[in-house]
Amino acid sequence: MILKGEEKLTKKDRNLYLTNTPLQQAMEEYLHLISQSFVGVSDETIMVQEALGRKTASPVFAKVSAPHYNAAAMDGIAVDASITNGASETNPIQLKIDRDYTVVNTGAPLTMERNAVIMVEDIVELDHETVEIRGAASPWQHVRPVGEDMVKGELILSENHMIRPQDIAALLTGGIGWVKVKRKIAVGVIPTGSEITELIDPLPEGKIIESNSKMFQALLSSYEAMGITYPIVKDEPEKIRLAIEKAVDENDLVVVNAGSSAGTKDYTVDVLREIGNVFTHGVAIKPGKPAILAEVKGKPVVGIPGYPVSAYVVFEQMVKPLVYELQNQKPIQVEKLKATLARRIISSLKHEEFVRVKVGKVDERWIATPLNRGAGVTMSLVRADGILRIPQSTEGYDKGDNVEIELSRSKEDLSNTIVSVGSHDLVMDLLANELQKKNDNLALSSAHVGSMGGIIAMKQKECHLAPIHLLDEISGEYNIDYVRKYFANEQMSMIKLVKRSQGLMVQKGNPKEITSLEDLNRKDISMINRQKGAGTRILLDYMLKTKKMDPNLLQGYQREMTTHMAVAVAIKNNTADCGLGVESAAKAMELDFIPIAWEEYDLLTPKYMLETKEVKKLLEVVRSDSFVKQIMSLGGYDCSQIGKTILI
Amino acid sequence: MILKGEEKLTKKDRNLYLTNTPLQQAMEEYLHLISQSFVGVSDETIMVQEALGRKTASPVFAKVSAPHYNAAAMDGIAVDASITNGASETNPIQLKIDRDYTVVNTGAPLTMERNAVIMVEDIVELDHETVEIRGAASPWQHVRPVGEDMVKGELILSENHMIRPQDIAALLTGGIGWVKVKRKIAVGVIPTGSEITELIDPLPEGKIIESNSKMFQALLSSYEAMGITYPIVKDEPEKIRLAIEKAVDENDLVVVNAGSSAGTKDYTVDVLREIGNVFTHGVAIKPGKPAILAEVKGKPVVGIPGYPVSAYVVFEQMVKPLVYELQNQKPIQVEKLKATLARRIISSLKHEEFVRVKVGKVDERWIATPLNRGAGVTMSLVRADGILRIPQSTEGYDKGDNVEIELSRSKEDLSNTIVSVGSHDLVMDLLANELQKKNDNLALSSAHVGSMGGIIAMKQKECHLAPIHLLDEISGEYNIDYVRKYFANEQMSMIKLVKRSQGLMVQKGNPKEITSLEDLNRKDISMINRQKGAGTRILLDYMLKTKKMDPNLLQGYQREMTTHMAVAVAIKNNTADCGLGVESAAKAMELDFIPIAWEEYDLLTPKYMLETKEVKKLLEVVRSDSFVKQIMSLGGYDCSQIGKTILI
């Protein structure tokens, strides 16, 4: 929302002064305080078949023995063993029904006078009432005695035991139909913010879709807790207070989302100070600094920042241990892995940082590549394979450092992932999708760092594939010359992908009447650029040079985006008049397009990779009709060479 | 049930001839056949917030960009950057509201004429309408451009992607409220058997509680499939046929429990032959041999044996891969561990065997101890920490072999477990329960192999504790002499536990008028014994010797049970007249008791273990009033020395 002049702007009225408490210290103190005031989770009695994953609230003892009678363990006849004494091949004994034996199937009860079972295989039936046996039976042979499985009164499960499928069978077998378990922790989630809204279509400008509470609900269900989301509360202190009081009454733990920072509209901390105690406001983590740890009526209340990545980190780092503490459980351990860092990361000494990384296995070495660090980039959570923690006291890590990653995908899945680093094109998204669709256990992971970034990553053995489109200024040829130059002593190969149409994207109807690159010199035209090292940037710089245009005179030349779509959307939204990019992106964003050049966009890979089953499967997809059809429908592509391989 | 004479007993009418197909071969052929006839799982469209753990059925692209407008990334004022050129500490510039700036909070949209945000911290407010700045703003500073998180049309999730909490946030952020996912596999479960019953009280003789279907439901839910259990069907071919046909119509996969073997009442395979095709009847595994792999109307139908352990093994080994195959997923990998085998296991060359084992970490070495191998012992599944597979071609493993265990508890939990091997007493169950109740991450695992078994396990460093009660025949003292003899060169310690009353358990009211051990000589008395190596057996043999009684003349001397409770229950059920055991077991089973001796039941442990935090916590529990109170309520115990430690 836009504030009017009567609202205060200066520091004196704002909670600018967040503390910078280290995470571990803040949590230790908080868990200690909360454990003193928390009254504990009550028990509930539920049906055994609904108790999977729940924890017993008291020891469970068998109510009946299993079996509760002496039972035949085989199909055959039940006898008193003593009457079989002396039977042998040379001295068969005949037995009469009822008087000497009873026919029994497995599981049938033995009457008092019978104490052994002879298997049907060891019997010769003479007539319906007579059998012959040719061996003696020993007492209790082929009999399941009472209590063989469990004895009445025996301990089946200890208190505090997490119930598994086999435990359910054992409880029922022991005659237990209902079991006392610990109630799940109830967590009230209050989304706040005048600017947030449930998903509506069309979405008004200035409104943000409320997605955090749904993410929290899912996280809570993975912690085995029960989330209850309340309606969105506007940024008004009185409404926030009422919502928190209600949620505290109805739950064991309350989470207030956003309003936790120190802006003019951030009332959460003031309300919590008024109705309870705030222990910490400001934790030394990034993202997630403006978190709040408080208590209202003896129950924990946590304030969580609004940006989705901050919200995720604070939830996992602070709410998760709290939930497990209240449930008197340990959190499930996160799988960890040691990896080589692909890029240097600089971090402040002031905070512990949680960096999302992609992880891939190349040449038997695990490689971690940092993703976008913006707290607002939900997609960095989706793309991440794990988290790298940078401790508060370090300035970051160097490229090549051996770092520990907390994984969010399994090591096994990650081993079955083709790692691509290089230029971005929509075709790579299609390829990732087709590959995963056709091969359940093969994924394609793409990092977008531009063509030169791809060449460098390949050189350093940090990826399997590098999508590139690099024009050699002298030969005018694409890709091959660069590969020859950078991989003079290595056997490389190129998987031909597409030719694509590069050109100027301009607003629909081309209102500024842009017709060629020379128009970028005009004072009424602002452009938007790609980052250094991107093939598109290299192409632009090459053309500016041939046309003897000075980049520094172009408005917007310094404003860099990292994908074609980001350039397209900036133009679509009128924050720039034009930018160089591919036709498919212009088409996707409904922009006009002025073609400038066709370029070749190919996949570089070491020669030996062509023989791996992963790349063979990739080639199958690349060469499939359905894939080519999808590419052609994007517009601006030529697939005539697709799937050919060249050795360099 | 008891069959009458008109029923057939001989081989010609029975399906005696099960095949012995190796598991892997049977499953490979079956999965191949089923994948050809299976029509596939359909899709369904569900709300995003309910999609946790589900798999996308098509790629998902963003419907809106996020943010969908250029948004302030900080609280402050929005300006056109060009009007701030030249501002510095020495040359502050004044700006007027509305004309030059708009007040914005984080997230507020920027209007067309503004392209930068100046943070509130960098502003001096002169009056409500005027601010002063002391530095120039660069275009697009502190602005979240449209699409910074995701761009409309961008791929959020590939097809075949398992939805996580962060994916839910990303979908909603991209304007996606509903998502197309793969339907869960529906699995119909049909319990059959005239002898099985839902849990009822009292349980009639000859009736068995139906527990397998509830275990299957829980297993299916852990496979992310949906189980539907049908009512129990009696052993009548027509009823079984109708039930299978109905379940096949309503599900993707059907599981028929029991009736899968080759007894007179085992109709499942005949029915399946009649209405479909049986591919395999009899798999070379133990337990679980009589499994059936069949097809009805193109859908898979699996016949599962009735014994709970067989049922569990067949479900995990055959139904689980089938469910994942139909869902086009890989099963989650089971955690594995290399361990030293504590006992020799002999297995037949005819089948692959699945042995339940307890696993513990002693002196940095993992030890696997085999449990009861009976297919009817549900409790062996409860007690097991994992499964040891013995391949079909091997005769078993030797004591000390390094074997691979498929874990059913986490390695971490197992590291936090005190391993006890030795004599059994109810006090050990109470101790395990109290320890787990008071320490969430500390467990006590007990194997019952008798006192001498405990001494040997301790000698071989296979346990932390050995509960023993061993009477030295010469000194007449308990335990100490044995420890001195077997651990002459080691520093050991003894944790005093209880004195307990040993005696003869007899039926209520003592109908056979037994008064002393000498009565065991009577012809009308049958006894029941404990296994060799049990302290109680040693005590009995010692007393028989002093009384010069010949064990071989005692009826039932050869019949061995491994716990006091098993002896008590055999007497309770009239299969023996008496047996030596502890008073608490007699009391638990409501038997009469003739006291014979007090013995000392103590915990042997190496001296250094007393200093570990695990044993310190154990001692805390042992010495607690609540624990002593529980023991005393069992009857037959003296706790005067409990918790004292003696160095030997």
Side-chain angles (χ1 to χ4, degrees):
Chain A
M1 78 293 337
I2 299 172
L3 305 187
K4 282 293 153 204
E6 59 275 9
E7 304 232 13
K8 298 282 169 49
L9 269 177
T10 43
K11 299 190 183 188
K12 65 182 181 302
D13 295 306
R14 295 162 31 97
N15 308 302
L16 273 182
Y17 306 105
L18 298 183
T19 59
N20 197 44
T21 318
L23 174 64
Q24 200 187 339
Q25 181 195 330
M27 286 308 291
E28 273 172 15
E29 287 172 7
Y30 189 54
L31 292 178
H32 177 69
L33 283 161
I34 289 300
S35 68
Q36 295 188 314
S37 65
F38 188 67
V39 292
V41 190
S42 59
D43 306 332
E44 58 181 338
T45 300
I46 61 174
M47 286 184 80
V48 163
Q49 51 263 51
E50 280 158 16
L52 184 66
R54 304 295 294 272
K55 278 208 155 183
T56 49
S58 56
V60 189
F61 301 95
K63 277 192 189 163
V64 294
S65 296
H68 62 293
Y69 54 90
N70 291 310
M74 292 283 179
D75 291 354
I77 58 170
V79 297
D80 176 352
S82 63
I83 66 166
T84 68
N85 288 343
S88 68
E89 284 293 333
T90 52
N91 180 34
I93 291 183
Q94 291 188 8
L95 304 177
K96 281 283 171 199
I97 200 162
D98 294 341
R99 187 194 70 190
D100 297 330
Y101 72 87
T102 316
V103 175
V104 287
N105 269 333
T106 305
L110 262 59
T111 46
M112 276 295 292
E113 64 274 17
R114 317 278 191 223
N115 68 357
V117 170
I118 303 170
M119 290 198 294
V120 66
E121 287 84 343
D122 296 335
I123 288 165
V124 178
E125 195 171 13
L126 300 182
D127 60 46
H128 280 350
E129 302 192 338
T130 319
V131 298
E132 192 176 271
I133 56 166
R134 297 176 177 207
S138 55
W140 305 106
Q141 76 172 23
H142 305 317
V143 174
R144 289 188 72 204
V146 172
E148 183 195 66
D149 186 351
M150 67 182 83
V151 173
K152 182 179 164 181
E154 182 179 339
L155 182 73
I156 303 178
L157 300 179
S158 291
E159 181 169 339
N160 226 357
H161 175 94
M162 171 89 78
I163 296 173
R164 302 160 300 170
Q166 57 269 47
D167 300 326
I168 291 177
L171 289 170
L172 290 165
T173 300
I176 309 291
W178 295 76
V179 60
K180 205 204 276 186
V181 295
K182 298 197 169 136
R183 194 163 61 72
K184 288 190 176 191
I185 291 283
V187 182
V189 176
I190 307 175
T192 74
S194 303
E195 76 285 12
I196 63 169
T197 171
E198 293 292 328
L199 178 55
I200 42 171
D201 187 20
L203 195 57
E205 186 160 290
K207 285 284 180 188
I208 294 169
I209 298 166
E210 204 290 295
S211 61
N212 285 345
S213 72
K214 277 81 172 184
M215 176 170 73
F216 296 162
Q217 288 268 162
L219 285 167
L220 287 168
S221 106
S222 76
Y223 310 159
E224 301 291 336
M226 193 175 59
I228 296 117
T229 299
Y230 289 83
I232 296 169
V233 181
K234 287 203 184 299
D235 288 322
E236 295 170 28
E238 180 61 12
K239 288 192 175 156
I240 294 173
R241 182 177 67 77
L242 288 173
I244 295 176
E245 284 177 340
K246 180 175 157 67
V248 163
D249 283 343
E250 295 172 356
N251 296 279
D252 301 305
L253 160 64
V254 173
V255 161
V256 185
N257 190 212
S260 73
S261 189
T264 44
K265 289 287 185 181
D266 294 328
Y267 300 119
T268 306
V269 78
D270 301 324
V271 169
L272 289 173
R273 284 211 176 95
E274 186 193 326
I275 61 173
N277 291 299
V278 171
F279 302 120
T280 302
H281 183 207
V283 181
I285 56 172
K286 182 184 174 184
K289 182 176 167 76
I292 301 168
L293 296 172
E295 161 272 317
V296 174
K297 294 187 194 169
K299 291 183 181 169
V301 179
V302 180
I304 296 185
Y307 273 133
V309 182
S310 313
Y312 181 83
V313 168
V314 169
F315 213 85
E316 281 275 279
Q317 298 301 323
M318 301 171 80
V319 177
K320 183 178 179 178
L322 186 54
V323 166
Y324 280 94
E325 173 77 17
L326 298 183
Q327 287 179 339
N328 193 21
Q329 280 181 260
K330 288 166 301 173
I332 294 155
Q333 272 219 320
V334 175
E335 195 179 6
K336 290 177 186 172
L337 173 149
K338 288 274 186 182
T340 304
L341 195 61
R343 281 210 308 269
R344 187 181 185 193
I345 314 178
I346 297 168
S347 179
S348 158
L349 291 171
K350 273 182 7 200
H351 47 241
E352 181 177 3
E353 187 168 354
F354 297 81
V355 180
R356 280 80 65 208
V357 295
K358 287 212 79 83
V359 178
K361 196 177 191 178
V362 182
D363 275 1
E364 298 306 309
R365 201 171 54 135
W366 290 101
I367 306 287
T369 309
L371 287 165
N372 187 315
R373 288 155 86 180
V377 185
T378 322
M379 284 304 287
S380 70
L381 288 175
V382 173
R383 293 194 189 107
D385 301 317
I387 296 275
L388 165 62
R389 280 176 191 248
I390 306 177
Q392 194 172 350
S393 50
T394 58
E395 286 179 318
Y397 291 111
D398 255 339
K399 180 182 169 69
D401 275 0
N402 189 25
V403 291
E404 187 173 68
I405 308 297
E406 297 174 9
L407 295 181
S408 55
R409 281 176 68 202
S410 78
K411 230 183 212 174
E412 200 201 347
D413 279 357
L414 290 171
S415 321
N416 293 321
T417 298
I418 300 176
V419 179
S420 160
V421 177
S423 166
H424 178 253
D425 189 280
L426 294 175
V427 166
M428 292 305 287
D429 291 346
L430 290 183
L431 183 54
N433 188 64
E434 281 292 298
L435 195 71
Q436 192 166 350
K437 176 179 171 177
K438 291 186 178 156
N439 301 280
D440 188 63
N441 48 7
L442 184 57
L444 174 65
S445 133
S446 288
H448 311 141
V449 298
S451 293
M452 277 313 296
I455 293 272
I456 292 163
M458 178 63 74
K459 190 76 197 158
Q460 295 176 336
K461 301 192 191 310
E462 291 167 1
C463 61
H464 301 116
L465 295 180
I468 55 172
H469 55 113
L470 288 164
L471 175 65
D472 186 71
E473 294 194 9
I474 296 156
S475 71
E477 252 202 283
Y478 269 93
N479 301 334
I480 307 272
D481 294 307
Y482 272 84
V483 177
R484 287 212 180 101
K485 181 173 160 198
Y486 283 92
F487 300 88
N489 301 314
E490 285 149 90
Q491 293 202 297
M492 304 301 291
S493 66
M494 190 77 80
I495 300 170
K496 297 298 291 177
L497 214 55
V498 293
K499 284 190 183 172
R500 61 184 196 177
S501 175
Q502 283 268 23
L504 283 173
M505 300 191 260
V506 298
Q507 278 146 38
K508 188 94 189 158
N510 196 2
K512 296 241 172 139
E513 297 176 340
I514 296 164
T515 56
S516 72
L517 269 186
E518 281 79 358
D519 285 316
L520 298 184
N521 277 325
R522 282 163 51 187
K523 285 288 155 232
D524 65 326
I525 302 279
S526 74
M527 68 167 292
I528 185 160
N529 208 349
R530 287 292 305 281
Q531 84 279 18
K532 288 171 203 75
T536 304
R537 171 72 167 260
I538 292 171
L539 176 64
L540 177 71
D541 289 347
Y542 169 70
M543 287 191 293
L544 293 177
K545 203 166 146 189
T546 60
K547 290 174 193 291
K548 299 194 168 39
M549 289 165 66
D550 179 355
N552 296 315
L553 299 179
L554 311 184
Q555 290 189 63
Y557 180 85
Q558 309 301 339
R559 198 174 154 209
E560 296 180 352
M561 294 286 173
T562 55
T563 67
H564 294 279
M565 284 299 273
V567 169
V569 83
I571 297 162
K572 175 80 176 177
N573 283 275
N574 258 322
T575 71
D577 296 311
C578 67
L580 195 62
V582 293
E583 187 174 347
S584 57
K587 197 174 161 195
M589 272 294 137
E590 297 171 337
L591 297 174
D592 279 6
F593 183 76
I594 299 141
I596 291 198
W598 281 89
E599 62 173 15
E600 292 169 41
Y601 181 87
D602 302 320
L603 299 175
L604 174 65
T605 189
K607 184 185 161 209
Y608 76 88
M609 280 295 295
L610 294 181
E611 298 310 314
T612 60
K613 70 174 191 312
E614 290 81 11
V615 169
K616 281 181 176 170
K617 283 185 177 169
L618 181 108
L619 278 171
E620 240 171 65
V621 170
V622 164
R623 290 164 182 165
S624 69
D625 289 345
S626 64
F627 181 56
V628 169
K629 216 168 138 187
Q630 285 178 57
I631 296 174
M632 293 313 285
S633 73
L634 294 174
Y637 291 101
D638 171 348
C639 291
S640 55
Q641 303 290 308
I642 199 163
K644 289 194 178 156
T645 56
I646 297 170
L647 299 184
I648 303 167
Chain B
M1 80 292 337
I2 299 171
L3 305 186
K4 281 293 153 204
E6 58 276 9
E7 305 233 10
K8 298 284 169 46
L9 269 175
T10 44
K11 299 192 184 189
K12 63 184 184 301
D13 295 306
R14 297 162 29 98
N15 308 303
L16 272 181
Y17 305 106
L18 297 183
T19 60
N20 197 43
T21 318
L23 174 65
Q24 200 188 339
Q25 180 195 330
M27 286 308 292
E28 272 172 15
E29 287 171 9
Y30 188 55
L31 293 178
H32 176 70
L33 284 161
I34 290 299
S35 68
Q36 294 187 317
S37 66
F38 188 67
V39 292
V41 189
S42 60
D43 306 331
E44 59 181 338
T45 300
I46 60 174
M47 286 183 78
V48 163
Q49 51 262 52
E50 281 158 17
L52 184 68
R54 304 295 295 272
K55 277 208 156 184
T56 50
S58 57
V60 189
F61 300 96
K63 277 192 188 161
V64 294
S65 296
H68 63 294
Y69 55 89
N70 291 310
M74 291 285 180
D75 292 355
I77 58 169
V79 297
D80 175 352
S82 64
I83 66 164
T84 68
N85 287 344
S88 69
E89 282 294 332
T90 52
N91 181 34
I93 290 182
Q94 291 189 8
L95 304 176
K96 280 285 169 196
I97 199 161
D98 294 340
R99 188 195 70 190
D100 297 330
Y101 74 88
T102 316
V103 176
V104 288
N105 268 336
T106 304
L110 262 58
T111 46
M112 277 296 290
E113 64 274 16
R114 317 277 191 224
N115 68 358
V117 169
I118 303 171
M119 289 198 293
V120 66
E121 287 85 342
D122 296 335
I123 287 164
V124 178
E125 195 172 14
L126 300 182
D127 61 45
H128 280 351
E129 303 193 334
T130 320
V131 297
E132 192 176 271
I133 57 166
R134 296 174 179 208
S138 55
W140 305 105
Q141 76 173 24
H142 305 318
V143 174
R144 290 188 71 203
V146 172
E148 183 195 67
D149 187 350
M150 67 182 81
V151 172
K152 182 181 164 179
E154 182 178 338
L155 182 73
I156 303 178
L157 300 179
S158 291
E159 183 169 336
N160 228 356
H161 175 93
M162 171 88 79
I163 297 174
R164 303 161 298 171
Q166 58 267 48
D167 300 326
I168 291 177
L171 290 170
L172 290 166
T173 300
I176 310 291
W178 295 76
V179 61
K180 205 203 276 183
V181 295
K182 299 198 168 136
R183 194 163 60 73
K184 288 190 175 190
I185 291 283
V187 182
V189 176
I190 308 175
T192 75
S194 303
E195 77 285 13
I196 63 169
T197 172
E198 294 291 331
L199 177 55
I200 41 171
D201 185 20
L203 196 58
E205 187 159 288
K207 286 283 180 188
I208 293 170
I209 297 166
E210 204 289 296
S211 61
N212 285 344
S213 71
K214 277 80 172 186
M215 176 170 71
F216 296 163
Q217 288 268 163
L219 285 167
L220 288 168
S221 107
S222 76
Y223 310 159
E224 300 291 335
M226 192 174 60
I228 296 117
T229 299
Y230 289 83
I232 296 169
V233 182
K234 288 203 182 297
D235 287 322
E236 296 170 27
E238 180 61 13
K239 287 193 175 154
I240 293 173
R241 183 177 66 75
L242 289 173
I244 294 177
E245 285 177 339
K246 180 175 158 68
V248 164
D249 284 342
E250 295 172 355
N251 296 279
D252 301 305
L253 160 63
V254 173
V255 160
V256 185
N257 189 213
S260 73
S261 190
T264 44
K265 290 287 186 181
D266 293 328
Y267 300 119
T268 306
V269 78
D270 302 323
V271 169
L272 289 172
R273 284 211 176 94
E274 185 194 326
I275 61 174
N277 291 299
V278 172
F279 303 119
T280 303
H281 183 207
V283 181
I285 56 173
K286 183 185 175 185
K289 182 176 167 80
I292 302 168
L293 295 172
E295 162 272 315
V296 175
K297 295 187 192 168
K299 289 183 182 171
V301 179
V302 180
I304 296 185
Y307 274 133
V309 182
S310 314
Y312 181 84
V313 167
V314 170
F315 213 86
E316 281 275 279
Q317 298 301 324
M318 302 171 81
V319 177
K320 183 178 179 178
L322 186 55
V323 166
Y324 280 94
E325 174 78 16
L326 299 183
Q327 287 178 340
N328 193 21
Q329 279 180 261
K330 288 165 301 172
I332 294 155
Q333 272 219 319
V334 176
E335 195 180 5
K336 290 176 185 172
L337 171 150
K338 289 275 186 182
T340 304
L341 196 60
R343 281 210 306 270
R344 187 180 185 194
I345 315 179
I346 297 167
S347 179
S348 159
L349 291 170
K350 273 185 3 202
H351 47 239
E352 181 177 3
E353 186 168 354
F354 297 80
V355 180
R356 280 82 65 210
V357 295
K358 287 211 77 82
V359 177
K361 196 178 192 178
V362 182
D363 274 0
E364 297 307 309
R365 200 170 57 133
W366 290 101
I367 307 286
T369 309
L371 286 165
N372 188 315
R373 287 154 88 178
V377 184
T378 322
M379 283 306 286
S380 71
L381 288 175
V382 172
R383 294 194 189 107
D385 302 317
I387 297 273
L388 165 63
R389 280 176 191 249
I390 306 178
Q392 193 171 352
S393 51
T394 58
E395 286 179 317
Y397 291 111
D398 255 340
K399 180 181 169 67
D401 275 0
N402 188 24
V403 292
E404 188 174 67
I405 309 298
E406 298 174 9
L407 294 182
S408 55
R409 280 176 67 202
S410 78
K411 228 182 215 173
E412 199 202 347
D413 278 357
L414 291 171
S415 322
N416 293 320
T417 298
I418 300 175
V419 180
S420 160
V421 178
S423 165
H424 179 252
D425 189 281
L426 294 176
V427 166
M428 291 305 287
D429 291 346
L430 289 184
L431 183 54
N433 188 65
E434 281 292 297
L435 195 70
Q436 192 166 349
K437 178 179 171 178
K438 292 189 178 154
N439 300 281
D440 188 63
N441 48 7
L442 184 59
L444 173 66
S445 135
S446 287
H448 310 142
V449 298
S451 293
M452 276 313 295
I455 293 271
I456 292 162
M458 177 63 73
K459 189 77 197 156
Q460 296 177 337
K461 299 191 192 312
E462 291 165 1
C463 61
H464 302 116
L465 296 180
I468 56 172
H469 54 114
L470 288 164
L471 175 65
D472 186 71
E473 294 194 8
I474 296 156
S475 72
E477 251 202 282
Y478 269 93
N479 300 332
I480 306 273
D481 294 307
Y482 274 83
V483 177
R484 286 212 181 101
K485 179 173 163 198
Y486 285 92
F487 300 90
N489 301 312
E490 285 149 89
Q491 293 202 295
M492 302 301 289
S493 66
M494 190 77 81
I495 300 170
K496 296 298 291 176
L497 216 53
V498 292
K499 283 191 184 170
R500 60 182 196 178
S501 173
Q502 284 267 23
L504 284 173
M505 300 190 262
V506 297
Q507 278 145 37
K508 187 91 188 160
N510 197 1
K512 297 239 173 142
E513 295 176 343
I514 297 164
T515 57
S516 70
L517 269 186
E518 281 79 358
D519 287 316
L520 297 184
N521 277 325
R522 282 161 53 188
K523 284 288 155 233
D524 64 327
I525 301 279
S526 75
M527 67 167 292
I528 185 159
N529 207 349
R530 287 292 306 281
Q531 84 279 16
K532 288 172 203 74
T536 304
R537 171 72 167 259
I538 292 172
L539 176 64
L540 177 71
D541 290 347
Y542 169 70
M543 287 190 295
L544 293 177
K545 204 166 145 191
T546 58
K547 291 173 192 291
K548 298 194 168 38
M549 291 165 65
D550 180 357
N552 295 316
L553 299 179
L554 311 185
Q555 291 189 62
Y557 180 85
Q558 309 299 340
R559 196 172 158 213
E560 296 180 352
M561 295 285 172
T562 56
T563 66
H564 293 278
M565 285 298 275
V567 169
V569 84
I571 297 163
K572 175 81 177 175
N573 283 275
N574 258 322
T575 70
D577 297 311
C578 65
L580 195 63
V582 294
E583 186 175 348
S584 57
K587 195 174 164 194
M589 272 293 137
E590 296 170 339
L591 297 174
D592 279 6
F593 182 77
I594 299 142
I596 292 197
W598 281 88
E599 61 173 17
E600 293 169 42
Y601 181 87
D602 301 320
L603 299 174
L604 174 65
T605 189
K607 185 186 160 208
Y608 77 88
M609 279 295 295
L610 294 181
E611 298 308 315
T612 60
K613 68 173 190 311
E614 289 80 10
V615 168
K616 281 183 178 172
K617 283 185 177 171
L618 181 107
L619 278 172
E620 239 171 66
V621 171
V622 164
R623 292 166 181 164
S624 69
D625 289 345
S626 64
F627 182 55
V628 170
K629 215 168 139 187
Q630 285 178 58
I631 296 174
M632 293 312 287
S633 74
L634 295 174
Y637 291 101
D638 170 348
C639 291
S640 55
Q641 303 290 308
I642 200 164
K644 289 194 180 158
T645 56
I646 298 170
L647 300 184
I648 304 168

